[in-house]
């Protein structure tokens, strides 16, 4: 059992994280920080704490508006941010304005983690994923193997789900890899995806696979459109916990995460979705995949998109 997990942001994803940690009895203590008034984090924690007798789980939950609640956490999961919604004057913030706001929030998050849980593994979920995890890393001066973004678990789960549905097989028979940035440039790697160890093309036509890959790239937006407000929240939370468990239980599991690259895949100094071995030291190894010429081209395109976003981050001091 983990001693303590800290969560930043107790909205939709943060709420699922807390209840799922209790349900799995994954940690003895959970500290949740959310700045929302009047005492939103306290309320979230009290609601879930009152269910612990029903879960049969002795987990201490502490919510607060301030960051000291993260003290001593072994893991911190970051979900803090504001979504794109109308301003009081009815206009929508531009992409740049929204990024600037979320970077300001991220700077507060970085300072809070650095002060209260400097040795924690950090898993960031907040969007824009590649930019936020990069900013956290820079501001925290974190060790590269101890900080990562959650994107690949979810992106590859979406790909697996769509392919399994088309093939008419169990989702458990699927292996899939999605590389690159967490956005519409991500690259589902068909050549490394398998159904029961066999090439996916044996089960699903190339035309159908191309459609599935396009759907995977736009899958976050599809959920946003259907929900009407907010974005996917169960699948991101569960995906982040897969990463926590791999590290906490030293599983040495190969999982795609947004990792800080230092020359791998021809990338230096950026976070990019790649498969890694997760174990007790965090990211223990980055796994290289042989790509086809088309996949290489698509990955290059994705890398360029991430580079562009991170350059915007660097401009915004
Ligand atoms: N410190 C702590 N919490 C904060 C801060 C801050 N400085 N600023 C905002 N928050 C909180 C908000 O009060 C809100 O409760 O972050 C929470 C975000 O919750 P939601 O808006 O419900 O968003 P959620 O669906 O949980 O997604 C969180 O993950 O997938 C991404 O795009 C998504 O960036 C978003 C993030």
């Amino acid at each position: 059992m983990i001693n303590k997990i800290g969560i930043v942001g107790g909205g939709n994803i943060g709420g699922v994280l807390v209840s799922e940690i209790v349900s799995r009895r994954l940690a003895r203590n959970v500290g949740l920080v959310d700045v929302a008034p009047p005492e939103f984090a306290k309320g979230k924690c009290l609601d879930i704490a009152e269910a612990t007798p029903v879960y049969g789980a002795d987990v201490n939950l502490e919510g607060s508006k301030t960051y000291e609640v993260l003290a001593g956490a072994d893991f911190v999961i970051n979900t803090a941010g504001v979504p794109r919604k109308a301003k009081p004057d009815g206009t929508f913030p531009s992409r740049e304005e929204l990024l600037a706001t979320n970077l300001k929030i991220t700077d507060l998050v970085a300072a809070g983690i650095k002060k209260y849980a400097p040795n924690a593994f950090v898993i960031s979920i907040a969007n824009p994923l590649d930019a936020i995890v990069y900013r956290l890393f820079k501001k925290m001066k974190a060790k590269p193997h101890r900080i990562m973004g959650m994107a690949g678990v979810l992106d590859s789960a979406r790909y697996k789900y769509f392919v399994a549905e088309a093939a008419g097989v169990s989702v458990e028979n699927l292996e899939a890899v999605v590389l690159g940035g967490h956005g519409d440039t991500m690259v589902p790697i068909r050549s490394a995806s398998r159904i029961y160890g066999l090439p996916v093309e044996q089960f699903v036509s190339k035309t159908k696979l191309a459609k599935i890959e396009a759907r995977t790239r736009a899958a976050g937006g599809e959920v946003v459109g259907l929900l009407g407000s907010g974005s996917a929240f169960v699948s991101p939370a569960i995906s982040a916990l897969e990463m926590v468990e791999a590290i906490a239980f030293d599983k040495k599991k190969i999982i795609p995460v947004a990792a800080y690259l230092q020359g791998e895949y021809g990338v230096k100094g950026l976070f990019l979705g790649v498969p890694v071995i997760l174990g007790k030291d965090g990211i223990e190894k980055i796994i290289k995949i042989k790509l086809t010429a088309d996949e290489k081209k698509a990955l290059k395109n994705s890398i360029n998109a991430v580079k562009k976003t991170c350059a915007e981050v660097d401009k915004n001091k």
Side-chain angles (χ1 to χ4, degrees), residues 49 61 73 103 166 178 219 256 302 310:
L61 305 177
L103 288 177
V178 177
S302 189
C310 291

Side-chain angles (χ1 to χ4, degrees), residues 26-304:
L26 188 56
R28 190 78 185 80
N29 302 284
V30 175
L32 174 71
V33 54
D34 194 307
V35 293
E39 286 291 350
F40 183 69
K42 272 197 168 67
K44 267 271 147 123
C45 285
L46 183 60
D47 178 25
I48 299 167
E50 287 169 353
T52 53
V54 186
Y55 280 115
D58 289 302
V59 180
N60 302 313
L61 305 177
E62 197 186 348
S64 173
K65 274 204 278 213
T66 48
Y67 280 79
E68 69 271 5
V69 81
L70 300 181
D74 306 288
F75 290 85
V76 175
I77 307 176
N78 173 38
T79 77
V82 294
R84 189 160 190 264
K85 64 172 186 220
K87 295 191 272 190
D89 64 4
T91 61
F92 279 86
S94 66
R95 211 189 72 83
E96 288 73 22
E97 277 177 301
L98 190 65
L99 178 64
T101 307
N102 279 321
L103 288 177
K104 267 197 207 113
I105 292 175
T106 304
D107 291 352
L108 296 174
V109 176
I113 302 175
K114 209 166 157 31
K115 183 161 179 197
Y116 294 106
N119 298 318
F121 289 103
V122 177
I123 297 175
S124 192
I125 307 181
N127 274 318
L129 191 284
D130 310 290
I132 300 294
V133 69
Y134 175 75
R135 179 67 152 221
L136 270 182
F137 169 76
K138 290 263 154 149
K139 290 283 167 174
M140 289 180 59
K141 299 190 172 55
K143 293 197 178 84
H145 62 286
R146 296 181 72 89
I147 179 165
M148 59 207 84
M150 187 299 295
V153 180
L154 175 56
D155 297 331
S156 57
R158 285 169 166 160
Y159 188 48
K160 285 181 201 174
Y161 171 66
F162 299 146
V163 174
E165 203 186 20
V169 302
S170 163
V171 290
E172 289 181 88
N173 285 137
L174 262 290
E175 278 219 51
V177 180
V178 177
L179 299 183
H182 182 57
D184 48 17
T185 62
M186 71 179 76
V187 194
I189 305 296
R190 196 188 301 180
S191 65
S193 300
R194 295 277 183 278
I195 294 179
Y196 191 63
L198 301 165
V200 282
E201 285 162 343
Q202 190 173 319
F203 295 82
V204 184
S205 72
K206 285 187 178 159
T207 324
K208 180 85 194 162
L209 282 168
K211 280 197 186 127
I212 286 175
E213 283 149 16
R215 187 177 177 195
T216 303
R217 281 189 286 272
E222 185 181 353
V223 176
V224 169
L226 291 167
L227 289 177
S229 79
S231 45
F233 56 97
V234 176
S235 50
I238 302 297
S239 300
L241 292 181
E242 160 112 340
M243 295 161 67
V244 170
E245 288 190 349
I247 297 170
F249 305 133
D250 193 22
K251 284 189 168 186
K252 314 284 185 206
K253 193 166 182 179
I254 300 180
I255 292 186
V257 310
Y260 187 73
L261 298 187
Q262 301 174 83
E264 303 87 352
Y265 289 88
V267 176
K268 230 179 187 158
L270 291 180
F271 283 78
L272 193 78
V274 292
V276 304
I277 294 181
L278 284 188
K280 66 175 182 351
D281 295 322
I283 296 176
E284 297 188 350
K285 193 176 178 185
I286 290 170
I287 308 287
K288 303 253 179 66
I289 296 187
K290 219 169 158 226
L291 303 175
T292 65
D294 280 352
E295 288 164 350
K296 269 189 198 151
K297 208 169 129 204
L299 188 62
K300 187 115 203 103
N301 180 41
S302 189
I303 292 167
N304 285 339

